[in-house]
Amino acid sequence: MNTSRSLTDLLSLQVDSALELDEEGIWKENANLPQGKFFDHCKLTSGQPVYLNWREVHKNEFFHHLKNLGSNANPEKWFYFETDSLGEEISFLLTLSQLESSSDLILFATEIPLSALTHVKNKLNLSISDQVQESEEKFRKTFYNSSIGIALVSPVGNWIDVNDAVCIMLGYSREELKALTFQDITHMEDLGADLELLGQTLQGGISSYNLEKRYIHKNGKIVHALLSVSLVRSTQGEPKFFISQLINMTETKELFLDLERKNLLLEATSSDLEKKIDQLEEFNRIVAHNLRGSIGNVVSLVALLKDGGVDVDTKEVTGLLDDSSRAVLENLQNLMKVLEVRANHGVQFEELNFQKSLQSVLSILSGIIRNKRAKISYEFEVPTVLYPKVYLESIFYNLLDNALKYTKPDLEPKIVIRTYKENDKTVLSVQDNGLGINLKIYEDQIFKYKKIFHRGFESNGVGLFMTKNQIETFGGSIDVQSKVNEGSTFMVKFV
């Protein structure tokens, strides 16, 4: 045989064997088809699979082409290399085709001279080798020169290889990382989600995933990264390694958090400004109503004294004038206290113990506590707060004084004081079982100046007004829950 023929010539050689098969690959005897070298090599038995005596590799390839034929109906071609019974190498081009108007198949075997095939095979291998080398070179350049972190990670999490960007991002050398797993330097709160997605990828549920996660830098700092992971499998479908891409998001994350903080500060400033405007309007109303009324009364009484007359009782007018003057002075003093609180931004903050501050106030109120037989309990889940000492004691005093003042005569007063966390803020609550307040009527007046909700008690309606101003001066807030004859709970939220 002329071994210098082209591959096209070789493929047109006379068919050595032709085997009729059913759609499952079972041989069906047909004496009209050529039965040559390949037929003898297969040692076929009627009703048995054509691949019965083939090596496993040939069986797998046959099934592969059988499946392809079923999906596209085009002839399937592949090479068959084997050693015959005499120990000589044989080679065939196998072509699997579908018979027209039948589910049966025909397997053609054309003998290919090894000498000619070797020449083609060598050229083909050389071409493939060049392509593989070129692909490897491109991957190497991409891997090691990329500004994005790229890593090869084993199915169990070991770092197989990393580029310089990963080392710079995480602070470890290449050798140090290879001695670790990605689990070793993943933030504990993010590890579960990463492992869950990793497991789904290994099981074939997904082929890749993206995740924003935190790593622990060698110096202990948090590194925020956008992670993209894809799995490379072997030709048999076994997991080989993960290709992980890491984009450092730390600076972006910090900028975002800083922007969030500034927005919160802006919102707080805006809210504080609105409160100041409300308070200024309230001061104007106080001045307009209380002071102007009191001063107007003083002016009228002075005019009455000046005019004199037989019907004027000088002593009575003088007494009224004294009362009005004192009322003006009291209003001015109360307003000065509020303004002093609002202006005193340079006050010293201290780490204060709630229980210690409470004990100081309880000592002051010990007389009324004993007289009313009040039961006071406390539980400080949050033991301390950063706050000005004089203002914390003032808050305790005003809230406890109210709770002790507005009690029911037939019921032993019980006051419960607690601190706890709510949305990362410390809350102080003072709960009593006293008279309570009708919030449906008075809700918008609770903390107003000189508002009194129970008659017959010694009260000027300034305590809660002062307390609210003290708390809001330092960015906090105060709220109340109350039911008539069941008691009230005041809640102070510190910044």
Side-chain angles (χ1 to χ4, degrees):
M1 184 176 290
N2 187 354
T3 59
S4 64
R5 290 181 180 180
S6 68
L7 182 59
T8 304
D9 293 332
L10 293 172
L11 296 180
S12 64
L13 289 176
Q14 185 178 1
V15 173
D16 171 81
S17 301
L19 311 175
E20 186 174 353
L21 316 172
D22 69 10
E23 57 189 358
E24 300 294 332
I26 306 298
W27 179 56
K28 301 174 70 175
E29 291 188 71
N30 187 338
N32 296 320
L33 297 177
Q35 299 178 355
K37 214 169 176 182
F38 186 74
F39 179 88
D40 294 336
H41 172 75
C42 290
K43 300 176 182 177
L44 295 174
T45 302
S46 180
Q48 296 294 326
V50 67
Y51 49 81
L52 184 64
N53 300 309
W54 293 1
R55 286 192 298 147
E56 198 66 31
V57 62
H58 293 314
K59 290 180 183 179
N60 291 339
E61 193 157 13
F62 174 78
F63 290 135
H64 169 76
H65 291 289
L66 185 66
K67 180 180 178 182
N68 283 352
L69 183 68
S71 61
N72 57 35
N74 293 322
E76 289 287 312
K77 297 182 179 182
W78 71 99
F79 287 103
Y80 181 98
F81 301 97
E82 189 58 277
T83 304
D84 63 14
S85 58
L86 300 176
E88 295 181 2
E89 290 186 349
I90 59 174
S91 60
F92 295 91
L93 173 66
L94 302 185
T95 304
L96 185 65
S97 300
Q98 181 89 41
L99 283 176
E100 291 185 7
S101 305
S102 172
S103 61
D104 285 350
L105 312 173
I106 292 292
L107 179 64
F108 295 102
T110 305
E111 187 174 8
I112 305 296
L114 280 174
S115 56
L117 190 60
T118 301
H119 174 70
V120 176
K121 183 180 177 183
N122 289 340
K123 290 186 67 175
L124 184 62
N125 287 342
L126 182 61
S127 174
I128 292 173
S129 177
D130 289 342
Q131 292 178 31
V132 170
Q133 187 175 356
E134 183 180 350
S135 297
E136 288 179 348
E137 184 63 25
K138 287 180 179 178
F139 179 78
R140 250 192 313 271
K141 288 181 178 179
T142 302
F143 185 89
Y144 289 109
N145 298 330
S146 175
S147 59
I148 295 175
I150 304 178
L152 305 182
V153 181
S154 76
V156 295
N158 296 99
W159 301 88
I160 300 172
D161 200 2
V162 297
N163 67 358
D164 290 342
V166 173
C167 295
I168 293 170
M169 186 188 305
L170 302 179
Y172 293 91
S173 68
R174 186 172 283 104
E175 290 69 28
E176 287 174 326
L177 280 174
K178 287 182 178 181
L180 299 171
T181 65
F182 78 83
Q183 296 95 318
D184 293 330
I185 56 174
T186 295
H187 194 288
M188 286 302 298
E189 293 179 6
D190 298 340
L191 185 56
D194 199 357
L195 291 175
E196 172 67 23
L197 292 169
L198 192 80
Q200 291 181 31
T201 308
L202 288 170
Q203 292 166 13
I206 56 177
S207 58
S208 62
Y209 65 90
N210 298 312
L211 177 70
E212 186 176 328
K213 62 177 285 189
R214 290 165 291 179
Y215 290 95
I216 308 299
H217 192 279
K218 187 178 179 180
N219 62 16
K221 291 184 178 179
I222 300 295
V223 176
H224 294 268
L226 184 61
L227 173 67
S228 297
V229 178
S230 57
L231 178 61
V232 176
R233 294 181 181 272
S234 68
T235 53
Q236 289 76 34
E238 294 299 319
K240 291 183 68 177
F241 56 86
F242 292 98
I243 299 177
S244 299
Q245 299 181 64
L246 293 79
I247 300 176
N248 195 337
M249 301 289 290
T250 305
E251 186 175 346
T252 304
K253 197 78 175 179
E254 288 176 352
L255 287 172
F256 179 75
L257 291 174
D258 186 54
L259 181 61
E260 263 192 343
R261 284 192 292 267
K262 288 180 178 178
N263 283 337
L264 289 173
L265 180 61
L266 183 62
E267 289 176 7
T269 303
S270 176
S271 176
D272 187 53
L273 182 59
E274 289 178 2
K275 288 178 181 177
K276 283 182 168 63
I277 293 172
D278 290 342
Q279 288 167 355
L280 183 59
E281 290 177 351
E282 187 169 9
F283 290 158
N284 287 337
R285 287 194 294 271
I286 292 169
V287 171
H289 183 270
N290 295 48
L291 290 182
R292 187 167 62 184
S294 298
I295 292 173
N297 194 39
V298 169
V299 171
S300 298
L301 291 171
V302 170
L304 187 62
L305 284 176
K306 282 183 178 180
D307 293 341
V310 293
D311 295 329
V312 174
D313 186 339
T314 304
K315 187 176 180 180
E316 181 184 359
V317 172
T318 303
L320 293 172
L321 186 60
D322 182 62
D323 291 341
S324 296
S325 300
R326 290 179 183 278
V328 171
L329 182 60
E330 182 185 356
N331 277 318
L332 283 173
Q333 287 174 337
N334 288 332
L335 290 175
M336 287 298 293
K337 287 178 182 178
V338 174
L339 292 173
E340 181 183 353
V341 170
R342 303 302 300 181
N344 195 5
H345 293 294
V347 70
Q348 182 180 358
F349 279 70
E350 305 174 56
E351 188 74 23
L352 300 175
N353 183 281
F354 279 112
Q355 185 172 342
K356 188 175 180 181
S357 297
L358 173 64
Q359 291 299 338
S360 298
V361 174
L362 292 179
S363 297
I364 298 171
L365 296 171
S366 59
I368 188 172
I369 292 172
R370 189 180 300 107
N371 290 337
K372 291 211 170 190
R373 297 181 179 178
K375 302 294 183 182
I376 299 178
S377 61
Y378 51 82
E379 180 183 358
F380 297 116
E381 293 177 18
V382 183
T384 63
V385 67
L386 190 65
Y387 214 68
K389 183 175 184 293
V390 63
Y391 292 137
L392 181 60
E393 291 182 357
S394 176
I395 292 168
F396 267 130
Y397 180 86
N398 284 318
L399 294 181
L400 286 172
D401 185 52
N402 262 18
L404 291 166
K405 185 179 296 179
Y406 302 110
T407 57
K408 290 185 282 188
D410 56 342
L411 186 66
E412 186 179 80
K414 290 184 179 179
I415 302 171
V416 179
I417 304 163
R418 294 179 55 227
T419 61
Y420 53 91
K421 280 288 185 181
E422 184 178 283
N423 298 327
D424 294 328
K425 291 187 177 181
T426 299
V427 178
L428 165 68
S429 73
V430 178
Q431 179 182 8
D432 65 59
N433 62 343
L435 296 174
I437 304 169
N438 191 333
L439 294 182
K440 290 182 180 179
I441 300 175
Y442 301 117
E443 184 174 12
D444 61 340
Q445 301 179 43
I446 298 292
F447 302 102
K448 298 294 184 182
Y449 184 68
K450 283 206 169 183
K451 292 296 179 181
I452 300 172
F453 312 108
H454 301 288
R455 301 298 173 184
F457 295 88
E458 292 184 7
S459 176
N460 58 8
V462 177
L464 289 179
F465 175 74
M466 289 291 298
T467 300
K468 183 173 186 289
N469 275 273
Q470 289 170 341
I471 293 166
E472 291 182 348
T473 296
F474 305 110
S477 62
I478 184 170
D479 199 5
V480 62
Q481 296 174 351
S482 188
K483 288 185 179 181
V484 176
N485 289 324
E486 291 187 19
S488 303
T489 302
F490 286 88
M491 294 151 292
V492 178
K493 187 175 290 185
F494 300 93
V495 174

